[in-house]
Amino acid sequence: MNKQNVAKLNLFLIGLSSRFSENKDIFKGIKVTYKAGLKNFNGIGEYDNGNIKFNFNGTTNSISINKLIEIVCTEALNYDSLTLTYSERGTDILIEADNTNVKMKNIDVKDESSNEFNETSTLLNRNYYIKVGSADALLKEIGIMSSQGKNKKR
């Protein structure tokens, strides 16, 4: 990558640094993938008592977020492009950088356990949840779903 885009990348990462400092309790991890030709080189970081335990090129170090930013930017000069994913509870921030552009976008992450319902309850006085995909015939028969498979407004 060229120095100009590495400087832009550094600005994005400084923003992540302040976000990390304010929200350490919801930080989940960081993943960096450098690309050189057809090869990928991965780095993975996770929270470690106020620092980030970062594994890259076969070594694992517990470093501060500022040191991690320095390492990411220094290594970016040696590769064609990089993809960085900063994960925290409910949101992933994706940064993509190469010689032509540096882009950042937020990706909402659904909590796997929040909307999943197990089988229906056998206890009285409980709400019974019906999964739409497995109960289409029933929902059409009782008039909740149209014959085209869309929910009717009530």
Side-chain angles (χ1 to χ4, degrees), residues 6-127:
V6 171
K8 288 180 188 176
L9 174 66
N10 189 38
L11 290 174
F12 282 58
L13 294 176
I14 288 171
L16 290 183
S17 170
S18 64
R19 189 174 183 126
F20 175 80
S21 299
E22 294 172 4
N23 300 317
K24 289 180 184 176
D25 54 333
I26 63 171
F27 174 75
K28 290 171 65 176
I30 191 164
K31 181 180 179 192
V32 184
T33 302
Y34 297 99
K35 290 187 179 183
L38 297 175
K39 289 192 172 189
N40 291 340
F41 301 90
N42 295 320
I44 298 175
E46 51 191 44
Y47 186 73
D48 182 37
N49 293 329
N51 287 327
I52 296 176
K53 190 186 296 183
F54 188 66
N55 181 333
F56 182 67
N57 277 342
T59 60
T60 302
N61 297 314
S62 182
I63 55 177
S64 68
I65 186 72
N66 294 327
K67 182 67 175 167
L68 177 63
I69 290 171
E70 181 183 324
I71 291 170
V72 169
C73 290
T74 303
E75 288 293 327
L77 291 169
N78 301 325
Y79 297 94
D80 298 333
S81 65
L82 93 98
T83 304
L84 184 140
T85 306
Y86 178 91
S87 299
E88 53 186 33
R89 187 177 38 210
T91 303
D92 282 355
I93 299 172
L94 178 67
I95 298 176
E96 297 174 316
D98 56 22
N99 280 327
T100 59
N101 204 358
V102 180
K103 297 183 278 187
M104 181 169 101
K105 62 182 171 181
N106 290 338
I107 302 168
D108 289 334
V109 177
K110 292 183 182 179
D111 186 16
E112 294 87 25
S113 62
S114 63
N115 291 332
E116 291 294 320
F117 299 111
N118 294 331
E119 296 299 317
T120 57
S121 173
T122 58
L123 300 175
L124 297 176
N125 298 325
R126 299 286 305 252
N127 290 330

